[in-house]
Structures are given as C-alpha cells and as structure tokens.
Amino acid sequence: MRSRRTFVLAFSIVLLLLPTVVQADDALSGAMLHAEGKALLAKADFDGALARYLAAARAAPGNPTFRQDALVLKRVVAQRKALDAPKRHPKWEGIAMSLHAFYLEHDLSGEAVALGRRGLKLLANGAAENRLAEALLEAGRDADALKLLTAKPTWTRDVRSRIFHGVALARTAQLKQATALAKTVKLPPKADHRLLRDAARLEAVLGQEARAAAWLVKAFEATPVANLPAFKAAVRTHADFRRVLAGPAMTKAFATQSKQKALGCSGASDCGSCPKRGGCGGKN
C-alpha cells in the first residue's frame, strides 16, 4: 500500500514538472532555430533565415526577440520581392531606404552595395548616391567610394556626401585633404542622430577625439530613448571610431542620455529594422 502511495506521489510530481521541462525544451529548440536563422542571414539566405526565425517563434512563443526578428525579416523578404517586381513599385525609394538600413545593421554590405547601384541607376539623385557611398565604405571599398564621390564638384553635394567624401579620403591616407574638408562641414540645426553620428565618424577617423565626442553627445541626445543602447553599441564596434574610443572625452560622451520622448518605439537600432516603421513613418 505504501509503495502504491509513493508511486502516485512520484507520478504527481512528474506531472507537475512536465510543463516546465517542455517549456525548457521549447526554449532550447527556439534558441537553436534562431541561431541557425542568424547564420543563414549572415550568408544572405533570406528565405532560409526567415523559415528558421518563424520556427523559432513557434517553438518559443514567449520569447519577444524571436517574434520581432521573424516579423522584421518577413517584412524584409516582402520588400525585396517588391523591388524585384517587373513593374516599378510606387514607393521604390522608401523601400530601398529601409532595406539599406537593414543590410548595414546586419553586416550585409554586399547586399547594400548591389541595392545602392540599382538605386543610383534608377533614381539618379543625391540620396541614392549617398546610400551607395555609405555601402561602399561599409564594405571596405574605399577607393570605389572615393571615385563615386569625386565624380561631381564638392560644392554641388550635400553635407552627408561631403562627410562620406572626407571619410574616404582619410581611409585612403589623404589626411590633409580630409582635414580640410572636415573643416567645411556644417550641419543643419535639426540634424538627425544618424547625420550627427556621421559627423563624429569623420572626426574620429581623423583622430580628433574631442570633436568626435562633441558630435556624439549631440547624436546620443537626439536618438530615441529605446534605440539608444543599440545605437551606442553600433558606434562602439565601428572601425572608424576605434582610434579614439579609449579617450576620456569619448568615455564621457558615452554616458550621454537621450533627450527624446519617442512613444511606441519598438527598440530596433534603426528605423529600417523596425516592425512599426509604417506606423510612425520613421519619425521616432
């Protein structure tokens, strides 16, 4: 009789623990599927990565990161198909901007370069040229970026183009020209956090820590609150900032907090990766 009661008690305990064990297995399975998806995305296998992300979200429905990554990548796959359609999409440039941001955030510079070339050929405007220049710089193709950016006189280009030109000059050891160009850069009063970061980037690649830090303070203050941790992390790991990161002015700059009060932000590091981009129009 005692052995029967012992068996019943043990069986009851197993039943109580079973949901926890299943949840742990689901979480592990979800993590493995998500990791596989990230590896496929790094190889620009978007369909394969999406399949793994969706499977990870199903395996671990309580994980918000898995859900958001699947949602973002599902949108990216749809956008890629929209740009490849025989008939030009009416919002081609807006979609290209979103994809450009996603590609650079996920170290897919090759995809960004290919998209940039398509965009410049199709749109033939300054914004498209800037996206291609940025993609070439991120891909380490400094000479190609410089060739693109010197095809027109400096005075005909906007401030972002001039900044990228300066970065390309500095990276190709033309420091005197890069320094002279940096002195001519004047940002508009309401420059967004990305343009402010780019100004800091030019000063950083020239080794001007104090100037780079001053721009970064403004950039971090202008960054939406939810985006700030990822935005700071991206700056920390960017090669153009490596030379000045250890300085005291930069250390102080990284303590800067956002002065923005964006509501409803998803927390993606860039609007191009945000699943709510259509709702706020990228204004947050």
Side-chain angles (χ1 to χ4, degrees):
M1 189 67 177
R2 179 179 297 175
S3 61
R4 177 180 175 81
R5 284 198 300 269
T6 302
F7 173 79
V8 171
L9 179 60
F11 187 69
S12 299
I13 293 173
V14 169
L15 289 177
L16 287 171
L17 293 176
L18 187 58
T20 303
V21 173
V22 170
Q23 288 175 6
D25 286 344
D26 287 347
L28 180 60
S29 175
M32 292 176 63
L33 288 165
H34 189 263
E36 290 174 3
K38 289 185 70 174
L40 289 170
L41 182 59
K43 299 176 182 178
D45 182 352
F46 293 90
D47 291 333
L50 178 58
R52 297 301 194 285
Y53 278 0
L54 290 171
R58 288 193 296 268
N63 189 309
T65 299
F66 295 172
R67 288 201 310 272
Q68 177 168 306
D69 284 353
L71 180 63
V72 170
L73 191 55
K74 185 176 181 179
R75 178 176 57 80
V76 165
V77 169
Q79 288 178 327
R80 284 169 57 86
K81 290 179 180 177
L83 294 194
D84 290 338
K87 184 178 179 180
R88 177 177 167 179
H89 195 284
K91 296 183 179 179
W92 203 99
E93 185 166 21
I95 294 172
M97 290 171 61
S98 179
L99 285 175
H100 172 81
F102 180 88
Y103 291 155
L104 294 190
E105 183 182 349
H106 292 81
D107 296 323
L108 295 167
S109 57
E111 294 292 319
V113 169
L115 177 61
R117 292 200 184 283
R118 288 176 63 192
L120 184 56
K121 183 178 180 180
L122 183 65
L123 303 168
N125 60 28
E129 182 180 278
N130 286 346
R131 286 193 294 275
L132 176 56
E134 183 177 27
L136 288 168
L137 288 171
E138 292 304 309
R141 296 169 59 175
D142 305 329
D144 289 337
L146 192 58
K147 182 178 179 180
L148 172 70
L149 292 165
T150 53
K152 294 189 297 184
T154 304
W155 59 267
T156 64
R157 300 198 303 270
D158 67 11
V159 65
R160 193 181 296 277
S161 177
R162 293 163 72 86
I163 289 172
F164 290 153
H165 186 190
V167 172
L169 286 168
R171 284 192 184 181
T172 53
Q174 300 179 64
L175 298 180
K176 185 176 180 179
Q177 298 95 314
T179 300
L181 193 153
K183 291 178 180 178
T184 70
V185 170
K186 297 187 184 301
L187 270 58
K190 294 185 179 181
D192 67 23
H193 60 293
R194 291 173 291 271
L195 184 56
L196 290 162
R197 173 208 55 201
D198 290 337
R201 175 182 177 182
L202 174 55
E203 296 293 353
V205 81
L206 289 169
Q208 298 294 328
E209 184 210 345
R211 293 177 186 171
W215 284 122
L216 275 185
V217 167
K218 294 180 179 180
F220 294 152
E221 288 176 346
T223 304
V225 176
N227 300 55
L228 188 57
F231 191 68
K232 284 183 176 180
V235 172
R236 282 189 186 278
T237 57
H238 199 285
D240 286 337
F241 288 95
R242 191 175 300 149
R243 184 177 175 185
V244 298
L245 271 181
M250 291 294 283
T251 300
K252 186 176 180 180
F254 273 94
T256 303
Q257 298 302 310
S258 172
K259 290 185 176 181
Q260 307 305 304
K261 294 183 179 180
L263 300 177
C265 182
S266 71
S269 61
D270 193 283
C271 292
S273 298
C274 179
K276 297 183 179 181
R277 185 176 188 275
C280 73
K283 296 178 182 178
N284 284 346

